[in-house]
Amino acid sequence: MEAFKFSRAATVDQAVAAHAGATTAIAETRFVAGGTTLIDLMKLSVERPKVVVDINGLPLDKVEATPEGGLRLGALTRNADVANHDVVKRDYAVLSEAILSGASPQLRNMATTGGNLLQRTRCPYFRDTAHACNKREPGSGCSAIGGHNRMLAVLGVSSDCIATNPSDQNVALVALEATIDIQGPSGKRSVPAGQFHLLPGTTPHRETALQPGEIITSVTLPKPIAGSKQFYLKLRDRAAYEFALSSTAVVIKLSGGKIEHVRIALGGVGTKPWRALEAEHELTGKSADAANFRIAAEAAMRDAKPASENGYKIELAKRCIVRALTNATVQA
Ligand SMILES: Cc1cc2nc3c(=O)[nH]c(=O)nc-3n(C[C@H](O)[C@H](O)[C@H](O)COP(=O)(O)OP(=O)(O)OC[C@H]3O[C@@H](n4cnc5c(N)ncnc54)[C@H](O)[C@@H]3O)c2cc1C
Ligand code: SF4
């Protein structure tokens, strides 16, 4: 780990000012929340900030009802507290299930809503400075294309990067159509969860819509859809403490035997938490049956581009989608 300056912020304005006013380049300043991603990567010399600003003293640790009937999760709410919150379990079960499927109880006690949104890929070459990686060192090349890529993405890939976004929480937030609330040197703004993460394209080091100096203050969940059912299914190499090979978050509402509303997001297969718009389109207004679920799954994976070792993910993801939809509608 390299030496860095450390400071603590007591207000959001102070955090933004500390970030923007740092004597080093803005990109060399990092906020630290739970530290479960950042500190690991600093020990590996993958992240080498010159300044670390501790934001744990900020008043962003509340779960509050919004006037619109939704729920606001402060950026510093711990993953365990969100997953076990009574209203989250009742109205946003897919988020609770997704968070509880990730990491370990100890990690979930530390990890925060904001930090989870910004967790970095688990691509092994990104985490090992001995290998070329465009995400870590722009322009250095991609060791995963043609290397070990069994865990990596098949949707949204580019010739510069095929890394997956590893989060479970973020998949549920996309299916729930949450918004990410941000504050920075230019004021406050909100970004839909589906637009918060960026495709790698030719700039895989740019991962989110966050601009230098901006801080995530909260995540807002919209008013729950009355009568909808939700489900999160995660498929992985072992039953616990493992990242997804493929996951599916479903929010679905049936009316008169037909699908009135459906939102589907995929994890483990995309370079960002993946909204399966084509699948939603196939299902809306149709019967909730196995044949239609399979048609939707085919549509979701139509544009998948496998690398040398991860072609199995395409069929796995289709089965994951079908099973998640089946489980959600069995409850309906
Ligand atoms: C062994 C292990 C297994 C794991 N398994 C899973 C899994 O199965 N599923 C899963 O989803 N996750 C998994 N995780 C990842 C874990 O969920 C993340 O490490 C955690 O959510 C990050 O949150 P944090 O608060 O600790 O972030 P930090 O490490 O504090 O920060 C992460 C990044 O976010 C930035 N940041 C933090 N808060 C803010 C904010 N409010 N505004 C702006 N920037 C901010 C930091 O600067 C840093 O760049 C695993 C982690 C480990 C170590
Ligand atoms: S897939 Fe992305 S993160 Fe992995 S080595 Fe290639 S550029 Fe780096």
Side-chain angles (χ1 to χ4, degrees):
M1 188 187 282
E2 295 181 15
F4 57 89
K5 287 186 187 164
F6 181 77
S7 66
R8 286 196 174 92
T11 65
V12 173
D13 286 343
Q14 260 181 31
V16 171
H19 205 298
T23 49
T24 51
I26 284 174
E28 294 179 345
T29 303
R30 286 281 183 273
F31 297 126
V32 65
T36 62
T37 285
L38 182 68
I39 305 301
D40 275 6
L41 292 176
M42 287 172 68
K43 287 181 188 166
L44 294 167
S45 291
V46 171
E47 293 262 16
R48 286 170 290 173
K50 298 278 186 270
V51 179
V52 173
V53 182
D54 181 359
I55 58 172
N56 283 285
L58 305 187
L60 301 175
D61 58 352
K62 307 270 184 310
V63 176
E64 296 167 315
T66 66
E68 296 77 26
L71 205 62
R72 184 167 298 117
L73 314 173
L76 288 167
T77 48
R78 305 288 155 176
N79 283 180
D81 294 336
V82 172
N84 294 311
H85 193 280
D86 285 344
V87 179
V88 175
K89 285 198 289 188
R90 187 191 66 203
D91 293 339
Y92 307 98
V94 69
L95 177 60
S96 177
E97 291 164 12
I99 292 173
L100 291 176
S101 76
S104 65
Q106 293 90 337
L107 283 160
R108 296 194 295 266
N109 285 341
M110 286 303 293
T112 61
T113 300
N116 198 324
L117 272 163
L118 295 174
Q119 65 171 286
R120 312 292 304 274
T121 183
R122 309 305 286 199
C123 172
Y125 302 106
F126 171 74
R127 298 171 68 86
D128 183 346
T129 56
H131 292 92
C133 170
N134 287 324
K135 190 181 277 298
R136 182 169 27 78
E137 293 287 341
S140 63
C142 172
S143 302
I145 298 172
H148 293 298
N149 49 50
R150 177 178 173 275
M151 295 289 290
L152 302 190
V154 293
L155 289 170
V157 297
S158 76
S159 55
D160 286 324
C161 182
I162 58 171
T164 42
N165 182 289
S167 168
D168 295 293
Q169 169 196 276
N170 301 348
V171 181
L173 293 181
V174 169
L176 288 166
E177 298 185 279
T179 49
I180 316 305
D181 308 313
I182 294 166
Q183 189 170 327
S186 313
K188 297 181 182 178
R189 64 193 183 104
S190 292
V191 179
Q195 293 167 27
F196 183 73
H197 294 92
L198 306 178
L199 291 170
T202 55
T203 53
H205 58 290
R206 291 191 58 239
E207 295 178 347
T208 70
L210 217 58
Q211 296 297 317
E214 287 187 322
I215 186 169
I216 299 169
T217 52
S218 58
V219 169
T220 302
L221 304 173
K223 186 177 174 181
I225 292 157
S228 66
K229 298 291 175 187
Q230 305 176 12
F231 198 81
Y232 188 73
L233 177 65
K234 178 175 179 178
L235 306 180
R236 48 190 155 170
D237 282 330
R238 60 183 177 200
Y241 202 33
E242 185 54 282
F243 290 90
L245 296 172
S246 177
S247 71
T248 303
V250 172
V251 178
I252 191 164
K253 181 178 181 181
L254 304 185
S255 178
K258 305 280 186 211
I259 298 167
E260 180 185 301
H261 171 97
V262 61
R263 295 289 179 269
I264 303 171
L266 311 179
V269 289
T271 50
K272 55 183 260 181
W274 198 263
R275 174 95 178 258
L277 285 167
E278 298 83 356
E280 295 172 9
H281 179 72
E282 289 290 350
L283 289 171
T284 305
K286 307 267 178 61
S287 305
D289 60 45
N292 285 332
F293 293 165
R294 182 69 199 189
I295 290 168
E298 295 287 345
M301 301 309 292
R302 195 171 291 139
D303 294 332
K305 291 190 176 56
S308 53
E309 296 179 344
N310 65 359
Y312 75 96
K313 280 197 175 189
I314 297 175
E315 180 58 25
L316 188 72
K318 291 177 187 173
R319 294 183 189 198
C320 188
I321 294 166
V322 170
R323 220 170 94 197
L325 284 163
T326 306
N327 288 357
T329 50
V330 162
Q331 309 168 27

